[in-house]
Amino acid sequence: MFVHNLNSDQQSALLYLARVVAEADGNSDELQTTMVEILKAQSNADVEMKETQISELATLFSTEREKCSLLLELLGIVLANNEYHQNERSLIAEYADVLGVSNTKLFELENWVQRQLALSQEAEALLN
């Protein structure tokens, strides 16, 4: 949903970090894996997953829009299965910290994603 706010280098980092957070709880959740594939499909054609160190994030994502777009996409992956594992939570918090995103802003992003997922589930129920 927010991939278009990122350039190709940022999208490459997003794909890598998405895989990392999807695997953070020790489970290979099919829904989360599918979401990573959707991110890949939404990315620019030239984008390949590129290993990204946490220390690179602040340089790679400099604007508030880029930082929040990254976090929103990652939160969408970790919250998709309605299980926010402590390892996932810790990784997201670490990314936010390195990016200079406050705990308050991160909490707001988490709440927004949870509301969007709830609305999607409600719409799916209406369709059935």
Side-chain angles (χ1 to χ4, degrees):
M1 183 181 281
F2 301 97
V3 174
H4 68 279
N5 291 329
L6 306 175
N7 65 36
S8 292
D9 289 336
Q10 294 165 331
Q11 290 175 2
S12 294
L14 166 63
L15 293 176
Y16 174 76
L17 297 172
R19 187 180 53 133
V20 170
V21 297
E23 297 172 354
D25 61 1
N27 292 329
S28 183
D29 186 287
E30 186 177 333
L31 178 59
Q32 291 174 321
T33 303
T34 300
M35 290 187 70
V36 173
E37 291 303 316
I38 291 169
L39 286 177
K40 170 74 173 139
Q42 293 174 344
S43 296
N44 298 338
D46 64 334
V47 170
E48 293 296 326
M49 186 180 299
K50 178 184 169 213
E51 184 173 351
T52 306
Q53 302 301 316
I54 293 174
S55 60
E56 299 175 75
L57 294 182
T59 304
L60 195 53
F61 298 88
S62 57
T63 69
E64 191 72 11
R65 183 178 202 84
E66 293 165 351
K67 294 172 186 181
C68 289
S69 293
L70 172 69
L71 292 171
L72 284 167
E73 294 292 2
L74 295 177
L75 286 164
I77 289 172
V78 299
L79 294 170
N81 62 0
N82 294 317
E83 296 174 17
Y84 200 5
H85 190 273
Q86 183 57 42
N87 292 351
E88 296 168 335
R89 187 181 300 275
S90 293
L91 267 179
I92 296 290
E94 186 176 3
Y95 297 158
D97 185 53
V98 168
L99 291 167
V101 174
S102 71
N103 289 338
T104 301
K105 181 74 162 200
L106 179 58
F107 181 75
E108 291 170 351
L109 295 172
E110 288 171 347
N111 283 334
W112 186 86
V113 171
Q114 288 171 335
R115 289 192 314 272
Q116 294 305 308
L117 291 171
L119 285 171
S120 292
Q121 291 169 351
E122 183 180 335
E124 195 60 40
L126 290 171
L127 294 171
N128 290 327

